[in-house]
């Protein structure tokens, strides 16, 4: 019996589209994996390198991300901000943020000073925190942003002492009139010589890169070989 092949346009187009989509998704996953591996490498290198001293020169956020940095200057004490919805060990709380003016310049860096619990009885009550009043030195980790949480509607302009869901350094520059670097710094220890608040928790969450889920596989027939992640950097 002769089997006749009949070309059908619609199934053919559907098959081509599915195959194309699968290839594009695979390529996208490979690019994302490569990006995460590069970020992991940057994080490891930045944590082991000597701290970068910020001197007031404008820097690109990507150039310093995951770098340990050292800041010398003063906190702008009348501009605290409180990042809401930042729980720690199951407790509701805020990240306390404050601009920091670098010595000898008009440049400021937004410093994430630490975490404090939220008052369970009076949720809009702000904590009374001790802030150094003069020149100090502090170290921390540079990050592109503070981490974004879902926010309904448009954010209101930033004001001193505001409780907000998200903060962007450049938006702070616009609303405050301060010249800001486009990144933030997670403070890792008490400011020196003294005067910082001991109640601030600085147990910052590690960046969620998801590198441990990446599996780079090279397959031939029924046999697969797993390549070490370091070979892809």
């Amino acid at each position: 019996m002769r089997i006749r092949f009949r070309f059908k346009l619609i199934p053919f187009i559907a098959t081509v589209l599915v195959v194309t989509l699968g290839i594009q998704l695979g390529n996208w996953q490979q690019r994302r994996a490569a990006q995460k591996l590069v970020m992991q490498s940057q994080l490891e290198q930045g944590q082991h390198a000597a701290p970068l001293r910020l001197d007031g020169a404008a820097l690109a956020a990507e150039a310093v991300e995951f770098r340990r940095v050292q800041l010398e200057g003063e906190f702008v004490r009348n501009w605290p901000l409180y990042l809401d919805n930042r729980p720690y060990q199951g407790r509701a709380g805020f990240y306390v943020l404050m601009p920091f003016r670098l010595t000898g310049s008009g440049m400021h860096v937004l410093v994430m000073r630490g975490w404090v619990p939220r008052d369970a009885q009076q949720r809009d009550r702000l904590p009374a925190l001790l802030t150094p009043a003069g020149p100090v030195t502090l170290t921390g980790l540079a990050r592109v942003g503070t981490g974004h949480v879902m926010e309904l509607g448009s954010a209101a302009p930033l004001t001193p002492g505001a409780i907000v869901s998200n903060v962007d350094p450049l938006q702070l520059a616009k609303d405050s009139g301060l010249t800001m670097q486009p990144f933030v710094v997670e403070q890792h220890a008490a400011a020196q010589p003294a005067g910082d608040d001991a109640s601030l928790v600085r147990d910052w969450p590690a960046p969620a890169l998801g590198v441990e889920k990446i599996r780079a596989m090279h397959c031939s027939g029924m046999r697969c070989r797993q390549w070490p992640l370091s070979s892809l950097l």
Side-chain angles (χ1 to χ4, degrees):
M1 181 176 64
R2 179 179 298 178
I3 300 176
R4 295 184 179 181
F5 173 77
R6 297 184 61 186
F7 177 79
K8 295 183 179 180
L9 180 60
I10 293 179
F12 173 77
I13 294 175
T15 301
V16 171
L17 291 175
V18 170
V19 172
T20 302
L21 178 61
I23 293 174
Q24 290 178 342
L25 288 174
N27 291 338
W28 176 82
Q29 289 178 333
Q30 290 181 344
R31 290 193 297 269
R32 287 287 295 161
Q35 290 172 356
K36 290 181 178 182
L37 290 170
V38 170
M39 291 175 66
Q40 177 69 21
S41 177
Q42 291 175 337
L43 177 60
E44 293 174 353
Q45 292 175 10
Q47 290 179 331
H48 290 89
L52 172 67
R53 184 178 179 274
L54 302 184
D55 58 6
L59 298 170
E62 294 76 11
V64 296
E65 185 175 23
F66 302 136
R67 284 290 306 271
R68 287 197 303 145
V69 294
Q70 182 182 65
L71 294 76
E72 297 178 3
E74 298 182 39
F75 282 106
V76 183
R77 302 171 68 198
N78 63 340
W79 254 102
L81 295 169
Y82 301 89
L83 270 183
D84 198 6
N85 298 317
R86 265 60 179 189
Y88 175 72
Q89 295 184 349
R91 300 178 65 189
F94 304 108
Y95 284 164
V96 180
L97 279 67
M98 193 172 287
F100 186 92
R101 184 178 64 83
L102 298 173
T103 298
S105 75
M107 181 65 74
H108 298 75
V109 179
L110 185 58
V111 174
M112 301 175 67
R113 296 184 58 197
W115 179 91
V116 291
R118 189 166 193 169
D119 191 315
Q121 302 300 322
Q122 190 176 345
R123 291 182 57 80
D124 58 349
R125 181 180 181 181
L126 298 175
L129 297 172
L130 179 65
T131 301
V136 294
T137 299
L138 60 87
T139 58
L141 186 71
R143 299 292 304 273
V144 168
T146 60
H148 190 84
V149 300
M150 187 175 64
E151 186 174 8
L152 300 177
S154 299
L158 297 172
T159 57
I163 299 174
V164 295
S165 296
N166 300 288
V167 173
D168 179 84
L170 298 183
Q171 183 64 42
L172 175 59
K174 178 181 176 182
D175 295 338
S176 67
L178 301 174
T179 303
M180 302 291 302
Q181 293 281 17
F183 53 87
V184 301
V185 171
E186 294 176 347
Q187 185 177 347
H188 280 186
Q192 299 297 326
D196 214 346
D197 197 297
S199 66
L200 289 163
V201 177
R202 298 189 175 104
D203 183 16
W204 302 107
L209 301 180
V211 174
E212 69 281 356
K213 296 181 180 179
I214 298 173
R215 294 292 181 268
M217 305 296 293
H218 175 73
C219 297
S220 175
M222 295 299 293
R223 300 180 63 186
C224 295
R225 176 182 177 186
Q226 182 172 337
W227 294 90
L229 298 180
S230 58
S231 68
L232 300 178
L233 298 179

